[in-house]
Amino acid sequence: MCSLKKAPHALYLSECTHYTGTPHDPDPLEEVLKLLGSLWTTLGPDGRKFGEVPYRAWISTVPGSVNVPGLFVDPRVVQPRAWYGLAGRRTQLANTLSATINGHPFRLRCVHWNGSRGPSGLTEQADQDGQVASENALYAGDFNTTSSAQGETVYENWGALCDRVGRPWMRSQKGIRLADGTWVTHTGMDRFLEHGWWDAGQVAGDFTPTTTDPETALRIDRIVLSKRSPARFDPDTYAVHKHPLLGKGAKPNDHLMVSADVIVEAAA
């Protein structure tokens, strides 16, 4: 059961690897769209459902990564204009949807920064995606890096923690090595935000971790808005959602859902 009471206008799902390019029948993406559309329906007096959301989906192509992000929007509110694939003159717009929201042009993108590229790769991704702050933009997803903001969960003993939980390879996925040889949490989100972005959690003053391992929990799943946008976060609506009760044998996700309302002022 979804914990959102109202149908979101945009959904960012960072791992949609099995939604496209599969030989399955029925098609997994069509099944997901059907399910999403029915989550917030209302039953009429005759028992029939109405009010289904006609979600549309754009699945990213990410060479060399098993994590393929997906963007799902309600076209009645987020009106699609163009999808930018990998081939283009502006590489920072790859896998970006151009849309109109309340009369304003926007760039929307679901991200999954590739932690396996290590600290230098995370820095490169922060700089490249940071450039889109020059436009109206609403990004969200798994950034695989945190910030150094006061209240943020950071680890000065990241390497030792990775060893303790039996995943030493996580050192470079979310950490950075100092000159003295110790591994600490990578705070590349600072670098990204400095390009001109608001982070919904920071605006709300809520630094709840979004990963579920209690020993290595981090706030790496984010909703970010370019500061030049004619929009703002409603800090009272920001939430990190607990997992719903699952059936027997079901395995919970290792990330928690994050949500926030974005208020877009009407175009003049």
Side-chain angles (χ1 to χ4, degrees), residues 230-242:
R232 59 184 173 85
F233 289 118
D234 180 351
D236 294 331
T237 64
Y238 177 80
V240 179
H241 300 256
K242 294 182 179 180

Side-chain angles (χ1 to χ4, degrees), residues 82-267:
W83 172 253
Y84 292 83
L86 294 181
R89 287 179 290 181
R90 298 181 61 190
T91 56
Q92 67 267 31
L93 290 184
N95 295 318
T96 300
L97 177 68
S98 177
T100 299
I101 304 175
N102 217 1
H104 297 281
F106 264 84
R107 307 286 193 191
L108 292 88
R109 184 182 175 200
C110 182
V111 305
H112 194 300
W113 285 0
N114 191 348
S116 65
R117 291 172 57 185
S120 59
L122 287 170
T123 297
E124 180 184 340
Q125 291 168 92
D127 286 349
Q128 180 168 289
D129 286 351
Q131 302 300 313
V132 188
S134 63
E135 305 185 47
N136 304 336
L138 180 61
Y139 279 24
D142 180 356
F143 289 84
N144 264 320
T145 185
T146 187
S147 80
S148 62
Q150 186 174 2
E152 201 78 79
T153 299
V154 295
Y155 298 101
E156 299 299 327
N157 60 336
W158 183 245
L161 280 175
C162 291
D163 287 341
R164 194 158 76 203
V165 299
R167 296 192 293 274
W169 52 85
M170 286 200 313
R171 276 173 161 76
S172 59
Q173 289 178 2
K174 300 175 179 65
I176 189 167
R177 189 178 188 181
L178 301 181
D180 64 3
T182 59
W183 286 84
V184 301
T185 311
H186 192 288
T187 55
M189 181 55 58
D190 290 337
R191 187 180 183 108
F192 170 78
L193 295 176
E194 285 174 351
H195 287 81
W197 297 84
W198 297 114
D199 169 77
Q202 287 190 20
V203 171
D206 186 340
F207 299 95
T208 304
T210 62
T211 57
T212 58
D213 187 318
E215 294 196 74
T216 59
L218 288 167
R219 190 171 77 91
I220 58 177
D221 302 280
R222 310 235 176 180
I223 305 172
V224 295
L225 177 69
S226 60
K227 291 183 176 180
R228 68 166 294 144
S229 302
R232 59 184 173 85
F233 289 118
D234 180 351
D236 294 331
T237 64
Y238 177 80
V240 179
H241 300 256
K242 294 182 179 180
H243 283 315
L245 294 176
L246 299 175
K248 185 178 180 179
K251 185 179 179 181
N253 198 297
D254 59 347
H255 291 252
L256 300 173
M257 182 176 70
V258 178
S259 66
D261 285 359
V262 180
I263 300 171
V264 182
E265 302 296 339

